[in-house]
Amino acid sequence: MWKGCDWFPNAAITVLVRRSLVKISAINERDEKYEVFEMHDQIRDMGRAIVDEKCSRKLQKNSRLWNFQDSWNLLKRKGSETIDAEGIQISSYLNDCTVSAKCFENMPNLRYLQAENVYFQGTFPCFPTDLKWLQLSNCYFDSPPSDFNLEMLVILDLSDTNMAPILILKAFERLKVLSLHGVKTKITLDFTNMPSLVKLEFEYCSALGTIDETIGELKNLTHLWIHECNFLRKLPDSIWRLSSLEVLNISYCREFSPLPEQLGELGSLKKLDLSFTRVKRLPDSICRLGSLEILVLRGTELCSIPEGLGDMESLKKIDLSRTWIEVIPDSIGQLTDLEQLLLCDSRKLRELPDSICQLKMLKSLNLNSCLSLCSLPERLGDMEKLEELILDSTRIEVIPNSICQLKLLKSLNLSRCDSLCSLPERLGDMEKLEELILDGTRIEVIPDSICQLKLLKSLNLRWCDSLCSLPERLGDMEKLEELILDGTRIEVIPDSVGRLDNLHLLSLKSCKFINALPISIRQLSSIQRLEMSGTNLKVVEIDLPPFAAIKLIKFTGSSSELLGLCDQNHNALEILRLKDATIEDLPDCVGRMEKLKELRLECEMLKELPNRIGGYLENLTQLEVMSMHLKALPDCIGSLKQLLMLSLMCENLEALPDSIGELENVAFFKIESAKLKALPNSIALLGRVNKLELRCMSLEALPDSIGRLNKLTDFKVSSNSLEALPDSIGSLKHVQTLQLKCPNLEALPDSIGELKSLIYFEVDSHRLKYFPNSMERLQSLQKLHLHCDNFTVPPNFIGRLENLETFWFYSKKLKYLDAAFFESLGRLSHLNLSGCENLEGILAASIGQTDLARLSSLSILDLIDCKELEYLPQLPSSIRSLDASGCTKLRKISDISNLKNLTSLWLGGCKQLEDVPGLENISSNLKVLYLPGPCDFMGCCHCSHDFKNKVFKEMSFENLEWFEISGSLVRGSAKGQQQLQFMLPRLPFSCLRGGWLRLGLDKVLSPIRIAIIADDVTVFEKIAEVDRDKVRLYLAEENIVNRGEGAHCYTIQVTMDVSQLQNVSVRFEPWY
């Protein structure tokens, strides 16, 4: 890049490194290695001082401006004097965000410009022609900058900036790096205009549907990075001609599916990442990628791997997590350089090939949540370089003895292996082991050899509820730092625990069988965290270690016990978390914990804080108080100068002291109170607060001074008494989130339109009748939630919010959407009209059906409980999720055959619905299907017989992850034992056998009878108990008659007393 920028600093950098003025360090990010410069702060400051002195402290003479404020001062300066700056950084977080094009006319030397949240005005014919690096984030031009002269540009980085159209108007002969982030406009780049391109990035470009074939002309391209471009379906055929390509990343592109057959021609490729795409098959040519080192297929729809996997001899990392792979090819044993193999959440994987034990260089094997994996290869110990073995949430029953040969293993994770009852006797032979995680297993005995693990640092036995004892020589593990025994049945802690000189954490939470601790515990000189919540131990009855070292105590106790703690010299205590329902007055001793940094008090009866809390707790950075009886804070609270976080959840808090404004470093401030009516004006002095939450139901007004909180980015107010906002609210230039849950709010000030940084805005008010027109200026707004019952249509300004992505609107008076709504919402991806119970139609009668198609980015449409809605019009093809649950009058849906992206369809409770036209054409894409169920005891709802036959007997739901059918019954319409029947879609027997069946039964008495019928044959019967209106069955643990692996039609029969039954649902989650 330096060469492209006409910078040749190699010799100078060598000199700087030799003189230890700079350091070059290697980092690993995204599985790629980079080198970065590091410099000591004092060296940096010295360099800046030299520049200042050389320029006589005149900003216009400085070659580099690293201070945002200096940059703004320079840009706002009037006059024709030449500005020597070569690099400038500007951000609107400190100033007015508007910059005129004329500001750059006198900057002939500018080579680097970074701007964030800036609004550019005017045209740019005189823009610096020597600019090499342009980085714009969330910037806006009042007109497309077609007159930019960027011929010398080497790096162009555009993030959420409307400058992308220039890329199709200009030639960029020297451009080497092009990064487009969040570009929503549809552009097709001609890459012949960028012949020097080395790195090309597209991230969150929602309109990117195709990549031009001219990309194959980029002979120098080494990196192609495409992330979360959800309309991209495939790569151009010319991709194989990128002979220099080393990194190809197509991650989280949810519609991307086929890979080019000639993929194997990319001979220079080192990394291929296809994470969370819809790739179902790898071309056989992939095995010819002899230079490939990293292959990431996480979250794809792959069911198999080519047999020639072993031919990719350079592979060092393979990630097959969250795939549907059942078998790993035997050829994997040929990958002699493989260091990482990740198979997390591969639920169909039942076994590993024996050849995997030939991977002599493997360092990490991750099998987390491989729910079908029951065994490991016997020769597991042959993987002599293995350092990390993760087996948590598998069904492994036995650990092979050969595991003890893994002399380099550092971490062994067997968490939640609930079929595992024992460990190998020679566990102690793994001499390098540092971490052993056994939580949630059924082990009954820890082998004595564990005490030979001299390097073990962490032993986690949480919720090993069959474990009753620990080895007597536990203290031999001299490096142990963490011992976690929560929820075990251990009765005695061995005396040898006192020899654990390095123990930092001892956690005994919910150890109800321990009645006493050994005297030797006082020898634990390094203890920093002691957790005893939920035990029967009493602090005053035990000898605790000297508190010169302890930093955290978390327990449930009484005030007298807390006093007992204070008598034990705990000068180093840094964190105290106390949960106690009896304490009324916090002892003064808390105020003497001089090194305390975090204090959390969950004490419902607490009436006051000690006056000494401000005098001694000078290091306190976090204070959380939860009390029902605290009415006021001591004035000395303002003395907590280091406080960063203050949370007061006190229902009866009546006032805040003026000294609250003296907390100059507080960044997060939260108050929950039912009685606080006003805030002191001094709150405006909290100059560093960036998050303010006021859940004060009696708060009557916000002080005018609130607008002086110029660092505030997140502001949330909940009050039943607030009727208006001060005009000063518009001065909060950096607020990105504004939430107003104020049911009696009557109006918003015009100044609300000045919140240029606002991204998320929520208003919940029953009395608000209009919105100021100034709100159309909120062009940064991406999410808008309005709960306002006085509106019959959404406000007109909404259609002009060009960057709006999410719109939630709730009004009982809403009947339809008018034409103004569809004006400019091309980016809208989520529309939620749930609860609008009088909504008669999505479109007004005067609007054409095609107008809804203008919402070309719409992916989620929620219409839950729109009870008057009778018809759904043609929807945009971009829709991924449609939820019309509870639309009880919905009778007709337009043909959904065009909804090829639809994965979730929710129609529960749509009792009048007869058919879903086109469902058969998209059924194979569906992951979630929720249909209306019985509405009486005569059968299902109005769905036609033909439709039910199609759904339950003919359609293919090969990707279905969740099926639910539900309905409601008229209470009392039937009495006594009745039988309800629910049909499931056609599924393979294996999907039924390992799935979850959940029944929701409102007010049904136990027991009930459940039967599953497959093709008219009963394959399962059970009498089940109802627990809190629910029955949950994991069918893998039930005795089900096997009807063969083919697809079958299933019926769920539920027999029960329905006298009080009102709502019923059956949910089935297949297992694949």
Side-chain angles (χ1 to χ4, degrees):
M1 299 306 164
W2 284 334
K3 184 178 179 181
C5 294
D6 295 328
W7 299 331
F8 304 95
N10 290 344
I13 288 174
T14 301
V15 173
L16 292 173
V17 171
R18 288 176 178 173
R19 294 181 178 179
S20 300
L21 295 175
V22 299
K23 179 182 178 182
I24 299 177
S25 301
I27 63 170
N28 194 321
E29 183 178 341
R30 297 174 173 177
D31 289 321
E32 296 179 50
K33 293 181 180 179
Y34 298 90
E35 288 186 336
V36 296
F37 284 111
E38 293 184 352
M39 177 185 291
H40 195 283
D41 292 352
Q42 293 180 355
I43 302 292
R44 179 202 63 194
D45 294 342
M46 180 182 69
R48 291 176 175 178
I50 291 172
V51 172
D52 284 340
E53 185 175 345
K54 182 178 180 181
C55 301
S56 302
R57 303 192 183 279
K58 294 181 179 180
L59 286 179
Q60 67 273 21
K61 296 297 182 182
N62 277 20
S63 60
R64 294 159 186 83
L65 295 173
W66 49 82
N67 183 283
F68 287 156
Q69 189 62 57
D70 287 346
S71 298
W72 278 106
N73 292 341
L74 195 61
L75 290 170
K76 297 299 183 182
R77 179 174 296 185
K78 296 180 180 180
S80 58
E81 187 177 1
T82 299
I83 297 172
D84 293 337
E86 296 180 21
I88 285 184
Q89 294 176 305
I90 51 178
S91 171
S92 70
Y93 287 117
L94 295 177
N95 292 279
D96 176 26
C97 61
T98 303
V99 173
S100 171
K102 294 182 179 180
C103 296
F104 298 99
E105 290 182 359
N106 300 322
M107 296 184 181
N109 300 322
L110 193 65
R111 294 194 288 177
Y112 170 74
L113 172 61
Q114 178 190 354
E116 185 177 5
N117 296 292
V118 175
Y119 185 89
F120 290 97
Q121 287 183 332
T123 58
F124 293 79
C126 299
F127 199 73
T129 58
D130 199 34
L131 194 69
K132 301 294 193 304
W133 190 334
L134 178 60
Q135 184 175 350
L136 303 177
S137 176
N138 200 30
C139 295
Y140 185 79
F141 291 84
D142 60 358
S143 61
S146 58
D147 51 356
F148 257 39
N149 188 338
L150 300 174
E151 292 180 1
M152 305 298 289
L153 205 63
V154 176
I155 301 174
L156 179 57
D157 187 345
L158 301 179
S159 177
D160 296 298
T161 298
N162 68 330
M163 188 181 165
I166 196 175
L167 295 171
I168 60 177
L169 301 174
K170 300 280 185 178
F172 295 86
E173 297 288 335
R174 304 186 64 174
L175 193 67
K176 292 198 172 187
V177 178
L178 175 59
S179 179
L180 301 178
H181 184 286
V183 176
K184 304 295 192 297
T185 53
K186 189 174 183 179
I187 59 172
T188 302
L189 301 180
D190 183 354
F191 294 102
T192 57
N193 293 331
M194 309 171 190
S196 302
L197 210 58
V198 174
K199 191 172 185 178
L200 177 60
E201 294 185 353
F202 297 96
E203 290 196 83
Y204 305 104
C205 297
S206 59
L208 183 68
T210 58
I211 296 176
D212 196 78
E213 291 286 346
T214 56
I215 195 173
E217 305 298 322
L218 300 177
K219 302 303 181 185
N220 298 310
L221 194 70
T222 61
H223 286 65
L224 177 55
W225 188 279
I226 307 172
H227 179 78
E228 206 158 327
C229 298
N230 288 326
F231 282 91
L232 184 68
R233 296 180 182 273
K234 65 176 185 176
L235 292 174
D237 292 334
S238 63
I239 198 78
W240 66 272
R241 289 155 50 193
L242 297 175
S243 56
S244 299
L245 195 66
E246 296 179 2
V247 175
L248 177 56
N249 183 304
I250 312 172
S251 56
Y252 290 84
C253 297
R254 306 288 183 176
E255 293 306 313
F256 184 85
S257 181
L259 288 171
E261 290 296 329
Q262 292 174 298
L263 187 68
E265 301 298 321
L266 298 174
S268 299
L269 199 64
K270 294 182 179 180
K271 178 183 177 182
L272 177 60
D273 189 343
L274 302 170
S275 303
F276 295 96
T277 60
R278 299 192 67 180
V279 171
K280 298 180 180 180
R281 173 185 168 274
L282 298 178
D284 290 336
S285 68
I286 196 174
C287 301
R288 299 204 302 268
L289 296 176
S291 299
L292 196 68
E293 297 179 0
I294 298 172
L295 177 60
V296 182
L297 301 168
R298 173 184 291 264
T300 61
E301 298 180 9
L302 282 174
C303 295
S304 63
I305 296 291
E307 286 295 328
L309 175 68
D311 295 341
M312 291 187 279
E313 55 189 22
S314 298
L315 273 176
K316 294 183 178 179
K317 176 181 177 179
I318 300 177
D319 189 347
L320 297 171
S321 304
R322 298 189 67 176
T323 61
W324 301 112
I325 288 173
E326 299 181 32
V327 178
I328 304 294
D330 285 334
S331 65
I332 194 172
Q334 300 171 26
L335 301 176
T336 54
D337 290 333
L338 195 66
E339 296 179 359
Q340 277 186 285
L341 179 56
L342 309 179
L343 294 160
C344 319
D345 211 10
S346 295
R347 301 193 175 193
K348 279 194 171 184
L349 185 67
R350 296 182 180 275
E351 62 180 3
L352 298 175
D354 289 337
S355 62
I356 201 172
C357 302
Q358 299 170 22
L359 300 177
K360 303 295 185 180
M361 301 302 293
L362 196 68
K363 294 182 179 179
S364 177
L365 177 58
N366 191 333
L367 298 164
N368 172 23
S369 297
C370 291
L371 300 182
S372 299
L373 189 67
C374 298
S375 63
L376 295 171
E378 285 297 327
R379 292 173 49 231
L380 185 70
D382 290 355
M383 294 187 284
E384 55 194 36
K385 298 286 187 181
L386 201 63
E387 297 179 1
E388 179 184 54
L389 180 56
I390 301 175
L391 302 169
D392 61 301
S393 301
T394 61
R395 295 185 183 174
I396 289 172
E397 300 176 0
V398 177
I399 303 296
N401 289 326
S402 68
I403 196 174
C404 303
Q405 300 169 22
L406 299 175
K407 302 297 184 181
L408 299 180
L409 196 68
K410 294 181 179 179
S411 177
L412 176 58
N413 188 339
L414 297 166
S415 173
R416 298 185 298 279
C417 291
D418 52 16
S419 298
L420 184 67
C421 297
S422 63
L423 296 172
E425 284 297 326
R426 299 185 61 183
L427 190 68
D429 290 355
M430 294 186 286
E431 55 194 36
K432 298 289 186 181
L433 200 64
E434 296 179 3
E435 180 182 48
L436 180 57
I437 304 174
L438 299 168
D439 66 293
T441 61
R442 296 183 181 179
I443 58 171
E444 300 175 359
V445 176
I446 301 290
D448 289 337
S449 68
I450 195 175
C451 303
Q452 300 170 23
L453 299 176
K454 303 296 184 181
L455 300 180
L456 195 69
K457 294 181 179 179
S458 178
L459 177 57
N460 187 339
L461 299 169
R462 180 183 289 119
W463 298 115
C464 292
D465 50 17
S466 298
L467 186 66
C468 298
S469 63
L470 293 172
E472 285 297 327
R473 291 172 48 230
L474 185 71
D476 291 355
M477 294 186 285
E478 55 195 37
K479 297 291 185 181
L480 198 64
E481 297 177 359
E482 296 182 352
L483 180 56
I484 303 172
L485 304 174
D486 306 344
T488 61
R489 299 176 65 86
I490 290 172
E491 300 178 3
V492 177
I493 303 293
D495 284 336
S496 65
V497 73
R499 303 205 309 272
L500 298 176
D501 294 336
N502 292 295
L503 197 66
H504 295 166
L505 166 64
L506 176 58
S507 186
L508 305 172
K509 291 186 291 187
S510 299
C511 288
K512 298 187 180 298
F513 294 90
I514 298 179
N515 293 316
L517 295 179
I519 297 176
S520 63
I521 201 169
R522 290 188 55 83
Q523 301 169 23
L524 297 177
S525 57
S526 298
I527 195 76
Q528 295 180 0
R529 295 178 61 190
L530 180 60
E531 302 197 3
M532 300 181 293
S533 303
T535 67
N536 294 319
L537 295 167
K538 299 295 182 182
V539 175
V540 293
E541 296 175 2
I542 61 176
D543 286 321
L544 288 171
F547 281 81
I550 199 163
K551 293 183 178 180
L552 180 145
I553 290 185
K554 183 178 180 181
F555 71 103
T556 302
S558 69
S559 56
S560 61
E561 291 168 358
L562 185 60
L563 282 169
L565 283 176
C566 297
D567 291 337
Q568 301 181 52
N569 186 21
H570 49 280
N571 295 328
L573 193 64
E574 293 183 4
I575 302 173
L576 176 60
R577 299 171 187 166
L578 181 63
K579 184 176 182 179
D580 192 329
T582 62
I583 290 179
E584 294 185 5
D585 302 303
L586 199 64
D588 282 342
C589 62
V590 174
R592 296 197 300 271
M593 298 176 185
E594 298 180 3
K595 293 188 178 180
L596 200 64
K597 293 181 179 179
E598 179 183 330
L599 177 58
R600 180 183 178 93
L601 304 172
E602 297 182 52
C603 307
E604 290 186 9
M605 304 301 293
L606 185 68
K607 294 182 178 180
E608 62 180 8
L609 297 177
N611 287 323
R612 302 182 68 176
I613 197 169
Y616 284 84
L617 302 184
E618 296 179 353
N619 294 302
L620 198 67
T621 60
Q622 183 171 326
L623 175 59
E624 297 179 69
V625 183
M626 283 158 270
S627 169
M628 295 294 293
H629 296 274
L630 188 71
K631 295 183 177 181
L633 300 179
D635 286 336
C636 65
I637 195 79
S639 301
L640 301 175
K641 301 298 184 183
Q642 301 301 315
L643 203 63
L644 301 175
M645 186 264 202
L646 177 59
S647 176
L648 305 171
M649 300 172 68
C650 308
E651 282 291 302
N652 290 291
L653 187 68
E654 296 176 352
L656 296 176
D658 285 335
S659 63
I660 205 79
E662 299 173 17
L663 301 175
E664 55 193 35
N665 286 306
V666 163
F668 175 85
F669 188 14
K670 177 180 178 180
I671 310 173
E672 287 191 20
S673 169
K675 294 190 176 180
L676 187 69
K677 295 183 177 181
L679 300 175
N681 283 322
S682 64
I683 198 170
L685 301 176
L686 300 177
R688 295 189 179 181
V689 70
N690 55 54
K691 188 170 183 178
L692 178 60
E693 293 187 20
L694 305 173
R695 298 181 183 178
C696 307
M697 295 301 111
S698 299
L699 188 66
E700 296 175 352
L702 296 175
D704 287 335
S705 60
I706 200 83
R708 287 156 54 191
L709 298 176
N710 55 20
K711 297 280 188 180
L712 198 61
T713 60
D714 192 329
F715 188 23
K716 298 177 182 178
V717 184
S718 298
S719 171
N720 293 331
S721 303
L722 192 68
E723 297 181 357
L725 300 178
D727 286 337
S728 64
I729 198 84
S731 299
L732 300 175
K733 301 295 185 183
H734 303 129
V735 163
Q736 297 179 9
T737 297
L738 179 58
Q739 186 182 80
L740 303 171
K741 293 188 175 182
C742 307
N744 290 300
L745 188 68
E746 296 181 350
L748 296 175
D750 284 338
S751 63
I752 204 84
E754 301 301 318
L755 302 179
K756 297 293 181 64
S757 298
L758 196 62
I759 295 174
Y760 175 91
F761 187 26
E762 180 178 351
V763 182
D764 186 345
S765 171
H766 304 311
R767 298 177 65 182
L768 194 67
K769 295 182 179 180
Y770 72 92
F771 288 91
N773 291 330
S774 64
M775 287 189 66
E776 69 180 21
R777 301 201 300 268
L778 299 177
Q779 289 301 320
S780 293
L781 200 62
Q782 296 177 12
K783 297 182 180 180
L784 178 60
H785 292 204
L786 302 179
H787 186 159
C788 307
D789 281 335
N790 286 317
F791 289 81
T792 57
V793 293
N796 286 341
F797 74 87
I798 291 171
R800 297 187 287 277
L801 298 176
E802 296 183 356
N803 293 304
L804 196 66
E805 296 178 358
T806 301
F807 180 48
W808 289 36
F809 189 73
Y810 175 86
S811 173
K812 292 181 179 179
K813 296 182 180 180
L814 180 70
K815 292 188 175 182
Y816 57 81
L817 301 178
D818 61 9
F821 179 79
F822 300 94
E823 189 173 334
S824 300
L825 294 181
R827 294 189 182 184
L828 192 70
S829 61
H830 187 179
L831 175 60
N832 191 329
L833 301 175
S834 298
C836 296
E837 56 189 40
N838 287 301
L839 184 73
E840 297 175 358
I842 297 181
L843 305 175
S846 59
I847 302 178
Q849 292 286 318
T850 56
D851 281 14
L852 190 59
R854 290 166 63 183
L855 302 180
S856 57
S857 297
L858 192 65
S859 61
I860 302 174
L861 178 59
D862 290 329
L863 302 166
I864 304 168
D865 292 332
C866 294
K867 299 184 183 301
E868 296 298 318
L869 187 66
E870 296 185 7
Y871 171 65
L872 275 182
Q874 193 74 42
L875 300 175
S877 60
S878 54
I879 291 283
R880 296 174 179 278
S881 175
L882 171 61
D883 193 343
S885 305
C887 295
T888 52
K889 290 189 177 181
L890 185 65
R891 294 178 180 272
K892 186 177 180 182
I893 296 178
S894 293
D895 194 300
I896 64 173
S897 297
N898 67 313
L899 304 184
K900 301 299 184 183
N901 297 303
L902 192 69
T903 58
S904 297
L905 179 59
W906 307 76
L907 298 171
C910 298
K911 301 178 182 179
Q912 307 297 322
L913 191 64
E914 296 182 1
D915 193 8
V916 183
L919 180 62
E920 65 275 12
N921 297 320
I922 63 166
S923 60
S924 61
N925 296 330
L926 286 178
K927 294 183 178 180
V928 176
L929 179 59
Y930 187 6
L931 293 177
C935 53
D936 53 39
F937 290 99
M938 302 304 293
C940 288
C941 56
H942 292 94
C943 291
S944 69
H945 179 75
D946 289 343
F947 174 69
K948 287 186 284 186
N949 270 340
K950 281 195 301 183
V951 172
F952 299 115
K953 295 184 179 180
E954 299 174 11
M955 291 186 193
S956 170
F957 294 93
E958 57 195 56
N959 290 306
L960 200 63
E961 297 176 1
W962 176 315
F963 174 78
E964 186 163 349
I965 187 166
S966 67
S968 60
L969 307 172
V970 178
R971 183 175 296 175
S973 60
K975 297 184 182 298
Q977 293 288 317
Q978 297 283 345
Q979 185 184 88
L980 292 182
Q981 297 194 68
F982 303 84
M983 297 182 72
L984 299 182
R986 283 178 60 85
L987 295 168
F989 175 77
S990 58
C991 296
L992 176 80
R993 180 69 180 83
W996 285 94
L997 181 64
R998 293 176 171 86
L999 280 69
L1001 305 166
D1002 186 16
K1003 297 186 178 179
V1004 170
L1005 299 176
S1006 292
I1008 66 169
R1009 176 184 174 275
I1010 302 172
I1012 300 178
I1013 306 350
D1015 300 330
D1016 300 325
V1017 176
T1018 301
V1019 295
F1020 171 73
E1021 281 188 275
K1022 183 170 184 174
I1023 304 297
E1025 297 294 324
V1026 180
D1027 182 14
R1028 288 175 290 187
D1029 295 337
K1030 294 177 183 177
V1031 176
R1032 183 182 181 194
L1033 297 176
Y1034 180 35
L1035 298 180
E1037 296 178 351
E1038 303 292 344
N1039 186 20
I1040 299 179
V1041 178
N1042 192 337
R1043 290 288 293 166
E1045 286 303 319
H1048 302 276
C1049 297
Y1050 298 99
T1051 301
I1052 310 294
Q1053 288 184 350
V1054 184
T1055 306
M1056 55 193 163
D1057 186 335
V1058 298
S1059 302
Q1060 298 297 316
L1061 180 64
Q1062 185 171 3
N1063 297 305
V1064 59
S1065 67
V1066 172
R1067 188 171 96 204
F1068 180 64
E1069 297 173 37
W1071 178 88
Y1072 292 93

